């Protein structure tokens, strides 16, 4: 079964391509290499032991995308390709709206034209903002987005809902990710941030290896037990497997169907807990300092994951320590390539 994976050379995309191949699907990658590297394709092939079809194509290029739909007998799509830097989206909102929304619209048009019915969409827990009640479940109302990036995820979900309401014969699941971290245990693929990382775990591993001098912890005056923010950190391989489960679930659905599912571990960990766990698994002392809060950060969020378990039969299996050990192994490997 051929599954198109947009953004398939990116962090979550590459791990999902591996998970798909392991479950007998035939992933076809489309990626414009705007925030990924071509060598990841060879690494994926090394892990799964076979070649993967790859198109260096921008999802915003409708004609080029149409060619892919014509050349392949696609039976589903997992749509990762999107920009995701919160700060950049505030500075360049149109870049985000154009890229993240037009690509989705192109895919939906082509899905209808070529009768490709199954779609898994990459959404984010950012749609909840600071939820009043934790853990947050899917019935929690979404709040106005803090950033254009977050808004593209909310508008993306609204577009999907409207298209399904129009009686389009499409079956869609929007997965709301919490904080994906870690790397493949082979250390052949992982996260490759360009420039200074925005996210916590790549900043930690780069500090530990000496690429950054010190980790800035944004705020230690939050109303949490240790004063630092709390997040639900999920191993990227668990997240990748959730996509395969979502696709398998969609095979059982017909007609117009959409659902929204949280993908996290169900556990919250503070920034300081992540640092301590990293120090334990790496055996390295991490230099860090407290600095003022980062604007736009919510105090605490973690997932109620009962729906994922009930609907998809999926549950995160790996621990925070597993994820940090894998991220650290990956960091030590990539140093030799940069
Ligand atoms: C961020 C985005 C989220 C997006 C996700 C993509 C915001 C508000 N949210 O999640 O929408 O889907 O990335 O991966 O930006 N931290 C530090 N020092 C650092 C980096 C981070 O203390 O150098 C702290 C942050 O303040 C936060 C926690 O670590 O409390 C996690 O930060 P990060 O990894 O950037 O993820 P989110 O902000 O939760």
């Amino acid at each position: 079964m051929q599954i198109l994976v947009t953004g398939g050379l990116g962090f979550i995309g590459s791990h999902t391509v591996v998970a798909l191949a392991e479950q007998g699907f035939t992933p076809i990658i489309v990626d414009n290499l705007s925030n990924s590297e071509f060598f990841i394709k060879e690494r994926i092939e090394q892990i799964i032991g076979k070649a993967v079809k790859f198109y260096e194509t921008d999802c915003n290029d409708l004609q080029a995308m149409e060619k892919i739909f014509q050349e392949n007998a696609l039976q589903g799509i997992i749509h990762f390709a999107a920009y995701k830097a919160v700060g950049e989206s505030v500075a360049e909102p149109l870049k985000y709206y154009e890229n993240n929304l037009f690509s989705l619209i192109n895919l939906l048009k082509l899905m209808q034209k070529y009768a490709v019915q199954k779609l898994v969409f990459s959404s984010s827990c950012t749609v909840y903002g600071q939820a009043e009640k934790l853990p947050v479940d899917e019935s929690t109302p979404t709040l106005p987005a803090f950033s254009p990036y977050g808004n593209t995820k909310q508008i993306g979900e609204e577009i999907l809902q409207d298209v399904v309401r129009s009686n389009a014969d499409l079956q869609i699941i929007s997965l709301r990710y919490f904080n994906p971290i870690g790397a493949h245990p082979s250390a052949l693929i992982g996260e490759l941030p360009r420039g200074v990382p925005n996210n916590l775990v790549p900043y930690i591993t780069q500090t530990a290896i000496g690429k950054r001098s010190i980790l800035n912890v944004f705020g230690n005056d939050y109303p949490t037990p240790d004063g630092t923010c709390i997040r639900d950190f999920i191993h990227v391989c668990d997240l990748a497997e959730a996509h395969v489960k979502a696709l398998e679930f969609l095979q059982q659905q017909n007609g117009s169907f959409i659902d929204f599912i949280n993908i996290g571990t169900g556990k919250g960990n503070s920034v300081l807990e992540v640092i301590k766990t990293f120090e334990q698994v790496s055996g390295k002392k991490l230099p860090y300092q407290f600095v003022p809060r980062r604007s736009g950060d919510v105090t605490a969020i973690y997932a109620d994951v009962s729906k994922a378990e009930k609907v998809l039969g999926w549950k995160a299996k790996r621990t925070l320590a597993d994820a940090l050990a894998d991220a650290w192994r990956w960091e030590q490997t990539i140093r030799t390539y940069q």
Side-chain angles (χ1 to χ4, degrees):
M1 194 178 284
Q2 297 187 340
I3 306 298
L4 190 70
V5 184
T6 75
L9 294 184
F11 175 41
I12 309 171
S14 56
H15 291 81
T16 302
V17 167
V18 169
L20 283 168
E22 280 170 353
Q23 290 307 308
F25 291 92
T26 303
I28 297 175
I29 298 174
V30 43
D31 198 303
N32 67 358
L33 301 178
S34 68
N35 191 28
S36 57
E37 301 293 337
F38 183 72
F39 79 84
I40 293 293
K41 174 183 174 295
E42 287 145 27
R43 298 298 188 79
I44 291 171
E45 290 170 338
Q46 220 176 311
I47 298 171
I48 66 176
K50 55 182 158 199
V52 181
K53 199 163 178 181
F54 168 67
Y55 291 90
E56 185 180 340
T57 299
D58 190 323
C59 294
N60 282 289
D61 183 343
L62 184 62
Q63 267 96 48
M65 289 302 290
E66 180 150 15
K67 228 173 130 250
I68 300 174
F69 278 70
Q70 287 164 346
E71 284 176 12
N72 300 282
L74 300 176
Q75 287 185 280
I77 298 183
I78 305 184
H79 180 43
F80 294 106
Y83 294 147
K84 64 167 186 109
V86 176
E88 185 187 54
S89 80
V90 175
E92 297 180 73
L94 294 181
K95 177 174 163 181
Y96 274 68
Y97 287 115
E98 181 175 34
N99 186 59
N100 293 5
L101 297 179
F102 287 178
S103 60
L104 177 63
I105 292 168
N106 280 348
L107 279 176
L108 289 165
K109 281 188 191 167
L110 292 169
M111 287 177 73
Q112 290 187 273
K113 186 163 173 186
Y114 291 90
V116 181
Q117 291 160 320
K118 319 287 178 192
L119 174 69
V120 181
F121 176 67
S122 293
S123 188
S124 166
C125 69
T126 190
V127 300
Y128 298 119
Q130 178 58 75
E132 274 174 32
K133 198 175 125 276
L134 292 173
V136 62
D137 70 23
E138 294 81 353
S139 67
T140 307
T142 60
L143 289 176
F146 278 155
S147 69
Y149 156 74
N151 210 17
T152 66
K153 293 299 173 192
Q154 291 203 3
I155 298 171
E157 288 195 345
E158 286 167 12
I159 291 173
L160 294 174
Q161 252 168 323
D162 286 342
V163 172
V164 166
R165 271 195 210 111
S166 75
N167 282 328
D169 190 8
L170 296 177
Q171 298 88 48
I172 300 173
I173 285 187
S174 178
L175 295 180
R176 293 173 172 167
Y177 314 151
F178 283 68
N179 287 60
I181 60 164
H184 194 268
S186 64
L188 286 166
I189 57 173
E191 195 167 3
L192 275 176
R194 290 202 174 152
V196 182
N198 293 309
N199 297 116
L200 178 64
V201 171
Y203 209 106
I204 287 179
T205 57
Q206 289 195 8
T207 305
I209 208 131
K211 270 191 211 163
R212 312 276 155 213
S213 55
I214 190 163
L215 169 74
N216 289 318
V217 174
F218 300 130
N220 62 343
D221 57 351
Y222 284 97
T224 60
D226 66 21
T228 64
C229 292
I230 290 174
R231 296 290 183 273
D232 184 336
F233 296 93
I234 174 164
H235 196 298
V236 66
C237 291
D238 278 325
L239 178 57
E241 287 162 15
H243 289 79
V244 180
K245 291 283 189 190
L247 209 52
E248 286 169 350
F249 172 78
L250 287 176
Q251 305 305 323
Q252 321 300 322
Q253 310 305 314
N254 297 302
S256 304
F257 175 89
I258 185 160
D259 210 349
F260 303 88
I261 303 182
N262 288 342
I263 302 294
T265 65
K267 281 199 251 359
N269 284 105
S270 73
V271 172
L272 278 181
E273 283 170 343
V274 174
I275 293 171
K276 296 292 163 225
T277 309
F278 177 80
E279 289 183 333
Q280 279 159 15
V281 300
S282 67
K284 293 207 110 181
K285 192 104 197 80
L286 195 77
Y288 69 88
Q289 63 188 359
F290 295 116
V291 299
R293 294 180 178 193
R294 181 172 74 175
S295 84
D297 277 341
V298 297
T299 302
I301 188 153
Y302 50 96
D304 180 325
V305 289
S306 45
K307 186 168 176 182
E309 209 173 333
K310 195 162 137 243
V311 176
L312 304 180
W314 171 92
K315 205 172 148 186
K317 298 191 285 244
R318 297 151 178 100
T319 64
L320 177 65
D322 294 335
L324 293 170
D326 288 335
W328 178 230
R329 196 171 317 117
W330 164 244
E331 182 68 65
Q332 290 169 284
T333 328
I334 48 173
R335 195 152 84 130
T336 54
Y337 297 96
Q338 286 176 341

